[in-house]
Structures are given as structure tokens and as C-alpha cells.
Amino acid sequence: MTMSEVFDGLATIYNQQRPRYPHAVYALLEQLVDPTPPLKILDAGAGPGVVLEDLLPTFGPLAEYTAVDISADMVATGAERLPEATWVHSPVEPDLEQRRDLALITVGQAAHWFDRPRFYAAAIQALRPGGVLAIIQNNRDYTRGGFAQAWEELAEAYSPGYTRTYRDFPYAQELAEAFAPADSDHGVYQAEWTLTRSPEDTRGRALSSSKMQAALAAAGDTFEAALDAAIAANTEDGEVSHTMITEVYWVRKAA
């Protein structure tokens, strides 16, 4: 299965069910980015526009927005939702290698899919002096038990090859090393918050995941029964809640 095929068919449920990022993420980006025009912004691995939908009001109509994704389904859905951006159906790395003078590159929940050494090298060339690259992700805090832990146990039991640490990459170190010299600026932002949803939406959120789709393909009804049992066991007063951790790994190219 190609990378595109992993996500084709998931765009609608992905858009409906994927948790968004806290407002503070976009406040941070606004603080980091020099607004001097032309303000060119690229969202890499854009999906249906989960990051882009909040970038648009953050930087306003005078910025130029491009969204790049390898999935034709994601691009078609995103272009319909957010026509203010230019949508490109392509792997991120070769597209980025052709670009210059970007003020901001964002990556939401996608960097682990990239050829990151190639991506970082392309980003360095594509960013203008003082331009910012921000890798953004939401993770479930499974250390506190509850449905977050049950989710990981389900995925590990039914999704072939899955481990709960699959997104534990040293992004901060990678960015610092890729963007040497030392006068490039970099940092990490982290926030905890609680995701609360109905059991039905919790089920939809689970099935929007490519990892849970792999579990469904591998185990079918057995997996669905286990998922429903986990949701039922963690429903309290008609809701399922668990802690999320949002992280932003950012670097600003030397001026």
C-alpha cells in the first residue's frame, strides 16, 4: 500500500474527528513569524486542513497559503473546505525543494511520515532568512490510564507493527542539528488539555486513525467489539475524557 493509499478514503472522517490544536499554538506562531510581506506560508502534510483552518485567521487574507499532501482525497477535501489556499497533490519533499522565500512551514501530525533529513534540507533552502519551521503534534497521555491507555493497548493488540512510542522522535535535536549554525533560534512548546467527547464521537475519532484502520482491516469485527468495549468501560456521565499533550517543535532560520 502506498502512502497515499493509507489516507485516501479517510479525509471526511479525519476532518470531522481529528482533535484540533489549542489557540496558544497559533499565538506562538504569530509571535515567532516576521509578518513582513510577502508572507508565504506552507502547510506540509496538510491533510484536509486541520492546521490551515486556524492559520488563515491567524495571519489573515494578505498571506499566501499553500497546502501540500500526498493523498488526493485529503487535497480534494481540503480544497473544497479552504479554497483560500493553493492545494498541491504531491509528496512534501520534492515540492518543498522547488520553493523559496517562505516565512513559515507548518507540519501537523505528519512529520513521522516524512523523509526527515531530506525534508529538513529542503526547508532550510525554502525558508527566507528568519523564516520558521514548526512541527506540531497531539499525543494521548496514556500514562494516566483510562481510554488513552485502552487506545494504545487496542492498537498494539490489533494494528500490525504498532507501538505506542511510534511518534517518539527527537525533533528538537534534529532541528537544532539540521539548522546549525548556533545562531538559529529554536524551542519547544508544550501544553496539556482534556479531550472530552461522546462515545459515538470517540469511536469516530478512533476510526479516523490510519493505525486503527489497519487494526480494522486486520481483525474486523473482533477489533470493533474490543473498541466498543473499551469505550463503554471508559464512559462516565455519557462522556469519554482523557488528557492530551500538544507539542510544538520550532526553529527559526538564521537571519
Side-chain angles (χ1 to χ4, degrees):
M1 180 178 289
T2 67
M3 188 66 69
S4 178
E5 290 170 337
V6 169
F7 292 99
D8 283 347
L10 291 179
T12 297
I13 192 171
Y14 197 104
N15 176 55
Q16 292 172 343
Q17 298 294 347
R18 279 283 165 162
R20 273 38 179 180
Y21 302 102
H23 174 74
V25 167
Y26 301 95
L28 172 66
L29 296 179
E30 187 175 24
Q31 177 183 347
L32 291 172
V33 173
D34 177 358
T36 301
L39 190 60
K40 298 181 181 180
I41 296 172
L42 185 141
D43 189 24
V50 170
V51 172
L52 185 62
E53 67 186 29
D54 285 313
L55 286 177
L56 289 166
T58 298
F59 291 99
L62 297 182
E64 301 174 30
Y65 301 92
T66 302
V68 182
D69 200 275
I70 198 170
S71 165
D73 185 31
M74 293 290 185
V75 168
T77 299
E80 183 177 356
R81 294 182 60 238
L82 302 168
E84 302 95 327
T86 298
W87 286 82
V88 180
H89 176 214
S90 171
V92 167
E93 298 87 351
D95 179 86
L96 194 59
E97 286 166 350
Q98 307 305 311
R99 297 186 182 275
R100 296 294 184 271
D101 300 322
L102 298 176
L104 173 64
I105 301 169
T106 55
V107 186
Q109 217 79 10
H112 55 288
W113 294 105
F114 295 172
D115 176 348
R116 291 198 307 285
R118 183 180 178 185
F119 172 73
Y120 295 147
I124 290 169
Q125 295 300 314
L127 287 168
R128 70 188 186 184
V132 173
L133 167 61
I135 296 174
I136 310 165
Q137 62 180 17
N138 283 328
N139 287 311
R140 294 167 294 277
D141 185 359
Y142 55 79
T143 65
R144 301 190 186 188
F147 184 70
Q149 179 177 321
W151 173 300
E152 302 300 340
E153 291 172 350
L154 280 169
E156 288 174 339
Y158 294 103
S159 185
Y162 177 87
T163 67
R164 65 187 66 191
T165 59
Y166 82 104
R167 280 204 302 264
D168 288 355
F169 295 105
Y171 291 134
Q173 178 182 342
E174 290 178 358
L175 291 174
E177 291 175 353
F179 279 75
D183 59 349
S184 64
D185 192 15
H186 54 88
V188 179
Y189 166 84
Q190 188 175 86
E192 292 187 3
W193 53 283
T194 301
L195 177 64
T196 300
R197 288 188 166 173
S198 69
E200 294 78 12
D201 283 345
T202 299
R203 192 179 198 277
R205 162 70 184 94
L207 294 178
S208 76
S209 162
S210 60
K211 304 300 182 182
M212 290 302 202
Q213 283 290 316
L216 182 61
D221 292 345
T222 301
F223 164 71
E224 288 200 83
L227 173 61
D228 289 340
I231 291 171
N234 289 282
T235 298
E236 185 173 349
D237 297 328
E239 295 181 324
V240 182
S241 298
H242 61 85
T243 300
M244 299 288 290
I245 300 174
T246 296
E247 297 163 323
V248 182
Y249 299 88
W250 62 268
V251 62
R252 182 162 41 203
K253 182 177 174 179

